[in-house]
Amino acid sequence: VHAHYARDYPVVAGAVRRLRMGGDGPAFFLTRHHYLPMTRHPLYRKWLSVADGLIAVSETVKRTVCDSLGCPPERVTVIPNWVDAARFG
C-alpha cells in the first residue's frame, strides 16, 4: 500500500496494522513531497513506524522526514520528483 499524502498516512498505517494482526499483511510505503516538518508527536511516530519504506522527493525532504519521525537516514530513499532535462537533451 502506498500513501502519497500526509492526510492518508495515519489511515493507511492503521489499516496495515489491522491487516497484519492476522499474520502477514501488505507492505506499506509512504512518499513525502513537502519540505515542512511532519508532526513530532510520539504517537504519530509510533503509528507510522509500521511503514516498510519511506520515500522523499529531495534530500531536503529526506532530512525533514528523518527529523520528524526520528528515523535513520538510511531508512529513507530519495526519488527526485523531477526530470533532469539536460540529461535527455
Side-chain angles (χ1 to χ4, degrees):
V1 180
H2 179 214
H4 229 350
Y5 299 103
R7 69 174 181 262
D8 301 335
Y9 300 163
V11 175
V12 175
V16 168
R17 283 180 183 277
R18 175 80 171 122
L19 290 167
R20 289 181 180 175
M21 288 174 69
D24 289 339
F28 170 35
F29 297 87
L30 65 85
T31 297
R32 181 73 176 165
H33 291 267
H34 209 286
Y35 65 92
L36 292 176
M38 298 160 59
T39 181
R40 291 186 175 111
H41 193 283
L43 289 176
Y44 192 76
R45 287 181 175 194
K46 181 174 175 22
W47 198 246
L48 294 184
S49 68
V50 71
D52 296 294
L54 304 164
I55 302 165
V57 298
S58 70
E59 288 295 331
T60 301
V61 173
K62 177 179 179 172
R63 284 191 295 277
T64 61
V65 167
C66 292
D67 183 50
S68 297
L69 297 181
C71 65
E74 55 273 0
R75 187 151 180 253
V76 182
T77 301
V78 175
I79 301 175
N81 198 24
W82 52 272
V83 174
D84 182 359
R87 184 174 172 198
F88 299 99

